[in-house]
Each structure stands twice: as structure tokens, then as C-alpha cells.
Amino acid sequence: MKKLSGNKKTKTAVFISGAGSNLKNLIKFSKFKKSPITIDLVISNNKNAKGLKYASKNKIKKKNFSFRNTNIGEKKSLEILLKKKIRLICLAGFMKVLSKNFIKKFRGKIINIHPSLLPKFKGLNTHKRALKNKENFSGCTVHYVNSNLDSGKIILQKRIKIKKNDTAYSLQKRILKEEHKIYPKAISKILN
Ligand code: GAR
């Protein structure tokens, strides 16, 4: 994906639903001189999402829209995304599936982080399923979002070894640390 104009940074929105550790990390990344993005908008589908505090702390515009009706949530999001001239959408623990129609409007400009080695373990409860399946490795993936769940082109992946005594919780914690490393790298990869 090319930057749209000259040396200007790419205006980015982050979509969250929960804790927002990836959001926090992306905000930190966006403040580096060499970062290709600015974060101009945070959208949450959950008004209690803890991650919203990182938007407030950093004076980033934040919006909470119910996505119980996906159409309405997307329509409201679209309005503000266009108004703020957002060119990249980073899904970071956003637990709603976006519609084909919405994705089409931002074709090639929506990316997601997923806590598994895609194409393995699309969807929910990835760590539990990786353990149950007796996998030797797990990890995380940054990928483009297309209209099939967790199936878009892979941008970057990090593999880690599953330890004998790993639980879903310990695995999640270890993988989250790796997510924080690869999400910024993936953004730099597609924008630089
Ligand atoms: C992260 O592990 C992310 O990969 C996962 O939710 C967590 C959000 O954590 N996303 C998905 O499972 C999407 N299918 P965070 O709110 O602390 O960034």
C-alpha cells in the first residue's frame, strides 16, 4: 500500500473492543519520528472497553458505536472515518466481523492482528484450540482484512514454541508480547 501523498504520515483509525494493549502499543509507535502513521481516531463497539482510556490519555478522538446492528455501527463509523480522512484501519482486538460492503469501501486499507498462525485457528479461542490440538507452535499474524473471516493476505507472522506446561492464559500472554512487536513492523512494511 502506498502512502497517499509525499512525506505525510498515513491517518489511521484503530478499532477496539476490549483491553486495548495493541492500541496502547500502536499509539506509542505512532509517536516515533520515523513512524509512517498518526492515530487520529479510535472506534470501539463496547463503551466499557478499557482501551478507550488510551485514546483519552493521548487526546485522540474516540467514538463508541453499538454494532449490535452492524449496518448502523458501520454507517456511523464510515461517516467519521471519511470526515477525518482516515486512510488505514487497524483492527486491534475488535471482536465484530465487518460486512463485505464496508470492507469494499476501504479495500486493501484494513488490517487485523490475530492470535494464531493463520490459516490455523481462525475465529475465537485460538490458544485453547492450539493446546487441545497439541500443536508444537503457535503465534500471531497481521493480515489484510477481506470478506472471509481471518483469511486475507498475510503481512507478517511470528511463531513461538508452545511449552509443555503452557495454559491458554500463559500462551495468550506470551503471544500478546509478540503481537506488540509485529503490528508496528507490519504497518511499516506496508507503508514504507
Ligand atoms: C489480541 O490478542 C488480538 O490478537 C485478539 O484480541 C486480543 C486483543 O487484545 N484479536 C482477536 O482475537 C481477533 N480475532 P488487546 O485489546 O489487549 O489489544
Side-chain angles (χ1 to χ4, degrees):
M1 197 197 304
K2 284 268 174 301
K3 275 194 265 183
L4 286 186
S5 56
N7 291 322
K8 277 208 186 133
K9 297 192 181 216
T10 300
K11 286 178 179 278
T12 300
V14 182
F15 282 35
I16 63 166
S17 298
S21 71
N22 276 289
L23 167 65
K24 181 184 179 201
N25 183 60
L26 289 180
I27 293 173
K28 188 173 155 204
F29 168 65
S30 73
K31 290 183 174 171
F32 292 134
K33 207 170 163 205
K34 284 204 168 151
S35 167
I37 60 164
T38 55
I39 297 178
D40 299 275
L41 178 64
V42 172
I43 289 182
S44 170
N45 68 318
N46 168 15
K47 66 177 185 326
N48 298 318
K50 286 201 183 127
L52 283 169
K53 70 172 182 245
Y54 300 119
S56 313
K57 269 189 190 165
N58 291 280
K59 302 193 170 53
I60 298 170
K61 175 110 183 151
K62 62 175 196 292
K63 286 282 180 187
N64 175 72
F65 298 132
S66 165
F67 273 68
R68 221 167 291 154
N69 179 325
T70 308
N71 261 337
I72 297 175
E74 288 184 347
K75 194 165 171 270
K76 289 184 173 167
S77 301
L78 200 59
E79 269 171 29
I80 179 106
L81 287 162
L82 296 177
K83 192 170 154 206
K84 295 203 70 76
K85 298 192 166 39
I86 298 297
R87 298 285 188 264
L88 176 70
I89 296 175
C90 293
L91 307 184
F94 184 66
M95 303 313 254
K96 282 280 167 185
V97 178
L98 295 167
S99 75
K100 262 187 190 164
N101 209 15
F102 183 87
I103 293 168
K104 221 164 66 186
K105 294 203 167 92
F106 276 86
R107 198 189 287 282
K109 295 191 173 74
I110 311 177
I111 62 176
N112 179 42
I113 187 145
H114 184 75
S116 80
L117 291 175
L118 290 174
K120 280 189 174 170
F121 309 116
K122 297 171 183 175
L124 299 175
N125 301 317
T126 55
H127 309 304
K128 208 169 140 189
R129 285 153 64 209
L131 290 173
K132 198 170 170 208
N133 223 35
K134 304 208 181 315
E135 297 287 329
N136 289 315
F137 295 95
S138 189
C140 45
T141 306
V142 180
H143 64 95
Y144 285 105
V145 172
N146 67 13
S147 49
N148 296 318
L149 183 68
D150 299 329
S151 298
K153 189 171 175 242
I154 290 173
I155 301 164
L156 216 56
Q157 212 161 39
K158 171 72 186 184
R159 191 176 82 151
I160 64 154
K161 181 130 186 54
I162 296 182
K163 296 176 185 168
K164 264 202 193 122
N165 56 355
D166 258 327
T167 60
Y169 180 68
S170 66
L171 200 52
Q172 181 222 332
K173 264 177 69 180
R174 240 173 37 257
I175 290 176
L176 197 57
K177 275 192 187 156
E178 299 301 330
E179 293 184 30
H180 297 162
K181 291 181 198 157
I182 69 162
Y183 215 167
K185 277 190 193 159
I187 292 171
S188 295
K189 186 175 170 192
I190 62 171
L191 293 177
N192 285 333

